[in-house]
Amino acid sequence: DNQHISGFLNLIAKLRSFDVYPIFVFDGKPSKHKKKKLNSRRKTREKSWKKKEELDKIIANSTEDLSSSIESLPENLQLEIQNKINEEEDKSHDTYQRINPKIIEEITQDIIKKEQVKLSKRCVKKTETHYQDLKDLFDCFNLPYIHLEDEEADTVCYSLCLCEDLDFEVNCILSNDMD
């Protein structure tokens, strides 16, 4: 699965379209004080995997339209689907006419697909292979990257911002690091 590569290709294309030239910074090995956080992430991945499997099972067992299986979906999805259906009914301005079943099916499928994507992303455990794939991609496009084994990326980024001896100016830092 190469979603990480396609995701970064999209990111690179978007940044370049705005004339932004990125330097990618990888985290080094996590410090010992991050053990608790890493365990929490593992548990979150496991929970997401179970939720994804349950959702896949509901979809597989749905013999008719997915909208006929709404009651078997997790409560948060049921609420989201119902809210979206209510919005559609409000748009029609005709409270005496029921919403078209095809629209209900489209709403249900759309929300379920989004949930599947969200859960799939939460299930991914980044591996050394992922990182190496990205480094190879960056090398292929002559994009700079930094990977210091004993430093966290946020520390490296901060240092780049403070450094005055660079041939370039750091205007922005983007990160999805949550800790």
Side-chain angles (χ1 to χ4, degrees):
D1 193 16
N2 292 326
Q3 286 183 348
H4 59 295
I5 292 175
S6 61
F8 269 87
L9 282 171
N10 290 333
L11 175 65
I12 292 164
K14 182 59 106 179
L15 291 172
R16 296 302 290 266
S17 75
F18 289 107
D19 218 17
V20 173
Y21 297 89
I23 299 172
F24 294 94
V25 182
F26 294 91
D27 267 330
K29 291 184 179 154
S31 62
K32 292 175 184 171
H33 74 274
K34 270 191 151 177
K35 190 172 187 170
K36 197 176 200 180
K37 185 68 174 170
L38 294 174
N39 283 334
S40 170
R41 288 179 185 165
R42 181 185 49 77
K43 288 177 184 175
T44 299
R45 264 194 316 276
E46 289 170 359
K47 286 179 187 174
S48 294
W49 188 258
K50 286 179 185 175
K51 287 179 182 179
K52 184 182 176 315
E53 285 179 333
E54 290 170 10
L55 190 56
D56 290 344
K57 198 181 295 185
I58 290 168
I59 293 166
N61 292 336
S62 178
T63 54
E64 301 172 27
D65 297 340
L66 280 173
S67 58
S68 63
S69 302
I70 292 176
E71 319 78 51
S72 58
L73 293 172
E75 189 175 334
N76 65 316
L77 294 181
Q78 289 180 34
L79 288 171
E80 190 174 346
I81 291 167
Q82 190 56 55
N83 288 339
K84 192 70 173 173
I85 290 169
N86 291 343
E87 284 177 25
E88 287 297 319
E89 287 174 343
D90 289 345
K91 285 181 191 175
S92 73
H93 301 296
D94 189 354
T95 55
Y96 299 107
Q97 185 179 5
R98 295 281 302 151
I99 191 166
N100 185 328
K102 286 183 181 181
I103 293 175
I104 295 174
E105 181 64 18
E106 288 173 12
I107 290 170
T108 304
Q109 286 182 4
D110 182 54
I111 289 172
I112 288 174
K113 284 178 187 173
K114 285 178 183 173
E115 183 71 8
Q116 284 179 304
V117 168
K118 184 173 81 175
L119 291 171
S120 292
K121 286 180 180 179
R122 286 184 186 166
C123 292
V124 174
K125 179 176 180 359
K126 297 171 198 95
T127 66
E128 286 303 316
T129 304
H130 289 120
Y131 293 119
Q132 190 57 52
D133 289 346
L134 292 173
K135 289 176 184 178
D136 292 343
L137 174 73
F138 300 155
D139 286 340
C140 193
F141 285 100
N142 290 325
L143 292 169
Y145 64 85
I146 300 170
H147 185 189
L148 302 176
E149 283 297 320
D150 297 326
E151 291 291 334
E152 293 214 22
D154 52 352
T155 306
V156 175
C157 291
Y158 179 70
S159 298
L160 285 171
C161 288
L162 294 180
C163 189
E164 296 177 6
D165 297 334
L166 300 174
D167 295 338
F168 55 87
E169 185 180 345
V170 177
N171 299 99
C172 177
I173 296 174
L174 298 175
S175 175
N176 68 348
D177 198 348
M178 303 290 184
D179 55 0

